[in-house]
Amino acid sequence: MGTTLSKSENAAPAPRTAEGSKSNWLLVLAATAVAALLSGFYGITEYASGTGEVVARTERSADRFDATFRELVTARYRTLGLAADTMLQSRVTVEAFANGDRDALSAIIEPFFQTLQRDHNIGQLNFWTAPAVVFYRAGRPNEYGMDLSRFRRSIVAANERRQRIMAVETGQGGEVALRAIVPVTHHERFVGVLAFGSDFNIPLERARALSGMNWAYSITKEISDRTERQPLPANDVTLGDDIYIRYSDPETARMMRQIRFNPRSTESQLLSQAGRTVLVKTFFVTNFSGAPSITIATSLDVTEQFAAILRGVLIKCGVLFVVVALVGSIVAISFRKSGASFVGALGRQRRELAERTAMAEAAMAKLKQVDLIKRGFFNNLVTAIAEPLQAVSGHLAALAPKANDAGDKALVEALAFPQAEMARLSRLVEDFHQVELFRQGLVKTEAPLAALAELVSRSIDEDLAAYRRLPNLAIAMAVPAGLPRARVDGDLLRRAIGSLVGFAAQRSGQGEVRFSAEQDAQAWLVLRITGTAFSGPAAPSEMLLDEAGQFLAQLAEDSDVAARANALIGVVLARMIVEFYGGTLGVAGPEAPGFVIRLPAAG
């Protein structure tokens, strides 16, 4: 029997062990799923960040290509113009052109042109007569007398205007070149123009070397037809109205035949086509009249860069997955084993939190009690002041007639100031007695449900009608009708709103008062009364919301206008109304001066 009992006792924990193993496997699966999710999010973020950096870097290179190309073109224009001006300093050259002596011109120009070709990459040197007739072409002197007005509109324009023109132009057969055209005069008589031409590819290749971007450029169909360029199907790439005819290298030409993009877009375009990822950015080159005639497409194949980023991200994701899955499984199993102790610790934390909450509530109750004591002390102080104040006021009032009867004008004038100050102080005491009476009556009021949009609308239409008639004061409302209701007496809240707007109207009387409302994240209804009307003397401060501060502020006022005092008292009354219904009245920030009313939503 003893042996049997021992076996039974030893076999009893088996079900619990199996149950624990099953729980462990579930925790491992959960940790694996979390690891997969985290590594996936990390991979997506890392890949997007890496590829975004590649795109941004390539866009900067494209911008560098554009800026470099334009600087080089400008420098090339200066070189061509300088060469033309230098040649025209030769009296013999100008006279030969003016006299129509082609042989004399050839003897001078040909040696000079060979030097320009060899040392300065000058491709063309031509003399033209109006409208665009070839008089002499350096390097090919037998080509003359042809009217190329149809092809060389810049020459026609230079002859008509008799002005210098520096521009890119496509010549006969689709040859694009940088042109510098300078007018030639002899004894103040216009003879024609001298034109220098330079290869358009020179600045493109230099910009490519500095930026690392490949290039291709196109001409429009209209220019291609007008210049009688023969189509080359194996070379040309047509995109809309543009025909791409020249490329930086054969690989770029092959790529341009495989992709499709918008050549008229000024933004960079990331294309995933034909198994490649290419970033393309285009910019335009204008002709002598300012119209776009050449489109330059800069491009860079970023396929390998994207693939390298993807490989790196996959490796990082794999490592992250393994580490998170392993650590998560260990932590989850350990956590399950220590669950009981953790629950106990959590219970202790809850108890400590409850104790701290109770202490905080007690402290808040103490603060409210201190506030009540402060208000009571202030009311008692005002009441204590009232009786001697009346006695002194009565004594001064009786003394003044006696001094007047005695003919003592100096004494009468001296008594005028203390009488005025005593009268002002008496009005303050009466105002704050009214505040206390209002507070006592407020306790007896009921609080039905009310909608903020309706209350503000009624307040603007009825309570603020007098203020709306002010010519320089505007009142606007942007309170949504769908906000939850608040448990507040509508008439009293309207009185509070009127008091706050009256403060601005009586202090500044100009600007804008704007009502806006929302429900914040803590489900409180927030009503803002702000605007430019609360600037300057009407700018609210925290002191306005305290009776004692108000009393001191009014004592400091040198004005005896009762309306200004009433405006200050109205702010205190508005605070009492809002706080009675569980809300708060605060001062808005300096960027939008005014008041903020926060009320609890009713369910």
Side-chain angles (χ1 to χ4, degrees):
M1 289 292 292
T3 303
T4 305
L5 285 172
S6 178
K7 290 182 179 180
S8 300
E9 291 172 358
N10 292 335
R16 289 195 294 270
T17 303
E19 182 180 352
S21 299
K22 182 178 180 181
S23 300
N24 290 342
W25 277 111
L26 291 176
L27 291 174
V28 169
L29 290 175
T32 303
V34 171
L37 187 62
L38 290 176
S39 59
F41 278 126
Y42 171 79
I44 293 172
T45 304
E46 190 73 8
Y47 183 76
S49 176
T51 55
E53 177 60 29
V54 171
V55 171
R57 186 167 59 248
T58 307
E59 288 178 339
R60 290 193 295 269
S61 298
D63 293 338
R64 190 181 308 115
F65 183 101
D66 187 0
T68 303
F69 169 78
R70 296 188 188 280
E71 290 177 359
L72 292 171
V73 168
T74 302
R76 198 65 179 168
Y77 285 151
R78 287 197 296 266
T79 301
L80 296 175
L82 180 61
D85 292 338
T86 302
M87 176 171 288
L88 294 180
Q89 293 301 313
S90 171
R91 180 177 58 82
V92 176
T93 302
V94 175
E95 286 183 352
F97 182 32
N99 296 331
D101 190 346
R102 298 182 67 259
D103 294 334
L105 196 60
S106 176
I108 300 170
I109 295 302
E110 289 304 321
F112 181 60
F113 178 64
Q114 292 176 7
T115 302
L116 292 179
Q117 273 189 316
R118 182 182 64 252
D119 298 337
H120 302 286
N121 292 317
I122 303 298
Q124 293 182 13
L125 194 165
N126 304 326
F127 287 86
W128 302 78
T129 58
V133 178
V134 179
F135 177 78
Y136 184 82
R137 185 186 299 273
R140 289 184 286 180
N142 294 328
E143 295 182 8
Y144 65 94
M146 297 178 294
D147 187 350
L148 302 182
S149 302
R150 176 181 177 185
F151 311 108
R152 301 298 306 279
R153 292 182 176 179
S154 62
I155 301 296
V156 175
N159 278 313
E160 290 177 350
R161 303 173 188 173
R162 299 184 181 183
Q163 293 178 347
R164 176 185 300 243
I165 290 179
M166 304 286 178
V168 176
E169 187 176 40
T170 305
Q172 186 177 12
E175 291 298 326
V176 180
L178 302 174
R179 316 285 186 178
I181 307 169
V182 180
V184 180
T185 59
H186 181 62
H187 297 310
E188 298 183 357
R189 178 176 66 87
F190 179 75
V191 179
V193 295
L194 170 62
F196 277 82
S198 179
D199 192 347
F200 186 62
N201 292 10
I202 293 175
L204 289 173
E205 282 301 307
R206 182 58 179 163
R208 178 194 182 194
L210 293 176
S211 66
M213 299 292 292
N214 299 317
W215 58 264
Y217 69 79
S218 69
I219 60 176
T220 63
K221 289 182 178 180
E222 185 273 329
I223 293 177
S224 178
D225 295 339
R226 178 168 53 80
T227 59
E228 298 180 354
R229 178 183 178 274
Q230 294 298 319
L232 301 174
N235 174 80
D236 298 350
V237 175
T238 302
L239 295 176
D241 193 47
D242 295 319
I243 302 174
Y244 283 86
I245 60 175
R246 296 289 185 274
Y247 313 95
S248 59
D249 54 78
E251 180 62 25
T252 301
R254 185 189 63 80
M255 183 195 68
M256 289 292 292
R257 286 191 288 271
Q258 293 178 342
I259 63 175
R260 288 294 178 268
F261 61 94
N262 180 10
R264 295 297 169 178
S265 175
T266 57
E267 302 294 331
S268 61
Q269 303 171 63
L270 186 63
L271 311 173
S272 294
Q273 300 175 7
R276 310 299 294 176
T277 302
V278 182
L279 188 137
V280 178
K281 190 171 185 180
T282 61
F283 60 93
F284 308 112
V285 178
T286 58
N287 59 14
F288 69 95
S289 62
S293 59
I294 305 292
T295 302
I296 300 176
T298 57
S299 63
L300 188 66
D301 191 335
V302 295
T303 305
E304 294 303 325
Q305 297 183 56
F306 276 32
I309 293 172
L310 180 60
R311 288 193 296 269
V313 168
L314 291 177
I315 293 173
K316 292 179 181 179
C317 287
V319 173
L320 179 64
F321 172 77
V322 173
V323 172
V324 173
L326 182 60
V327 174
S329 300
I330 295 173
V331 171
I333 293 173
S334 301
F335 179 80
R336 187 186 68 82
K337 292 180 179 178
S338 59
S341 60
F342 177 77
V343 171
L346 184 60
R348 287 193 300 272
Q349 293 292 333
R350 287 179 177 176
R351 288 193 297 271
E352 290 179 5
L353 180 60
E355 292 173 359
R356 292 179 182 178
T357 303
M359 292 173 63
E361 291 177 352
M364 291 178 63
K366 288 290 184 182
L367 288 176
K368 290 182 179 179
Q369 186 177 1
V370 169
D371 187 53
L372 291 175
I373 292 173
K374 183 191 73 172
R375 290 184 180 180
F377 173 77
F378 176 72
N379 290 327
N380 292 335
L381 178 62
V382 173
T383 301
I385 292 173
E387 186 174 348
L389 179 64
Q390 293 176 358
V392 174
S393 298
H395 180 73
L396 291 176
L399 185 60
K402 292 180 181 180
N404 191 32
D405 294 339
D408 192 345
K409 295 183 178 180
L411 181 58
V412 172
E413 293 176 357
L415 289 174
F417 176 74
Q419 280 184 304
E421 290 301 307
M422 296 301 290
R424 188 162 68 91
L425 188 56
S426 297
R427 287 198 301 271
L428 288 179
V429 171
E430 292 175 2
D431 287 339
F432 281 96
H433 278 157
Q434 292 297 322
V435 169
E436 182 60 26
L437 291 175
F438 181 79
R439 181 186 286 112
Q440 295 175 4
L442 188 64
V443 176
K444 302 176 183 180
T445 61
E446 297 181 354
L449 291 175
L452 279 184
E454 297 177 4
L455 290 179
V456 175
S457 178
R458 286 187 58 192
S459 180
I460 293 175
D461 294 338
E462 300 175 12
D463 306 322
L464 306 180
Y467 300 137
R468 294 174 64 188
R469 288 195 290 269
L470 295 176
N472 297 324
L473 183 66
I475 300 177
M477 169 183 164
V479 180
L483 290 175
R485 293 174 176 265
R487 192 168 293 282
V488 60
D489 184 274
D491 294 332
L492 289 177
L493 185 59
R494 286 166 49 196
R495 177 173 181 174
I497 293 173
S499 298
L500 298 178
V501 176
F503 174 79
Q506 296 176 23
R507 281 291 176 120
S508 67
Q510 61 183 356
E512 181 189 31
V513 176
R514 186 173 185 83
F515 291 89
S516 61
E518 62 181 357
Q519 188 174 21
D520 63 12
Q522 290 76 34
W524 283 75
L525 297 176
V526 181
L527 175 62
R528 300 182 184 274
I529 308 174
T530 58
T532 56
F534 291 97
S535 58
S541 63
E542 296 292 342
M543 186 181 65
L544 296 175
L545 307 179
D546 181 72
E547 293 97 323
Q550 285 277 19
F551 188 82
L552 295 175
Q554 293 185 51
L555 282 176
E557 289 279 350
D558 57 358
S559 172
D560 58 354
V561 180
R564 300 186 70 177
N566 291 337
L568 295 174
I569 294 299
V571 175
V572 175
L573 295 179
R575 177 194 173 191
M576 292 180 186
I577 294 171
V578 174
E579 289 184 349
F580 176 75
Y581 294 108
T584 59
L585 175 62
V587 176
E591 65 280 357
F595 296 96
V596 179
I597 297 176
R598 298 179 79 248
L599 292 169

